[in-house]
Amino acid sequence: MSRSLARTLLVLMLALVTWPALAVNPDEVLRDPALEQRARHLSGQLRCMVCQNQSIDDSNAELARDLRVLVRERIAGGDSDSQVIDYIVSRYGEFVLLNPRVSSKTMALWAAPGVLLVIGGITVAVFLRRRRPDQPELRLTAEEQARLDALLTDDRP
């Protein structure tokens, strides 16, 4: 591999590694490093409603920027982490959380595949049990067996 190609690949890899850091604009950063750390931690837990598979900390969408600013405003206003999360959830619903809270709804969602698997297994077992013949096995009489043997051994072309 040539040196210029290796350098190009290195620069490209470094640019891709630092790409998520570009989502938070310098004008959004809080002056207090402890508050900024809290804001980054919280915004890493919130889903971008536009991108949906990224946190608002990683997204460049306008809505994600607005949410980052809102998180920082709430933190600067003295809200605790749970108050900030509760406020965002009250406005956007549980879907905004990248890691949903444990509740009866989420427990039902996690349990549903197992319950459906058990129900499916029981259904298959009942179906197979009903398919089993309840009648005694029918056997050929001695005369019928002899005739069948004669037909099978007949060497006609």
Side-chain angles (χ1 to χ4, degrees), residues 117-131:
L117 187 63
V118 168
I119 291 172
I122 291 170
T123 303
V124 168
V126 168
F127 177 75
L128 290 176
R129 196 162 217 208
R130 287 188 180 171
R131 282 191 65 206

Side-chain angles (χ1 to χ4, degrees), residues 84-156:
V84 173
I85 294 291
D86 290 342
Y87 180 77
I88 300 291
V89 168
S90 72
R91 292 186 74 190
Y92 294 96
E94 290 281 330
F95 184 72
V96 77
L97 298 174
L98 281 173
N99 295 319
R101 297 175 179 163
V102 177
S103 68
S104 59
K105 292 177 185 176
T106 56
M107 292 303 286
L109 286 173
W110 282 102
V115 170
L116 291 175
L117 187 63
V118 168
I119 291 172
I122 291 170
T123 303
V124 168
V126 168
F127 177 75
L128 290 176
R129 196 162 217 208
R130 287 188 180 171
R131 282 191 65 206
R132 200 174 342 152
D134 293 335
Q135 301 174 4
E137 187 176 325
L138 299 176
R139 297 188 180 260
L140 298 175
T141 63
E143 180 183 308
E144 291 171 332
Q145 186 65 43
R147 185 169 175 218
L148 181 61
D149 290 342
L151 286 172
L152 291 175
T153 58
D154 191 11
D155 291 334
R156 288 187 282 177

Side-chain angles (χ1 to χ4, degrees), residues 68-82:
R68 286 192 304 266
V69 169
L70 180 62
V71 166
R72 283 165 174 76
E73 286 173 357
R74 301 292 296 196
I75 288 175
D79 285 359
S80 68
D81 291 357
S82 62

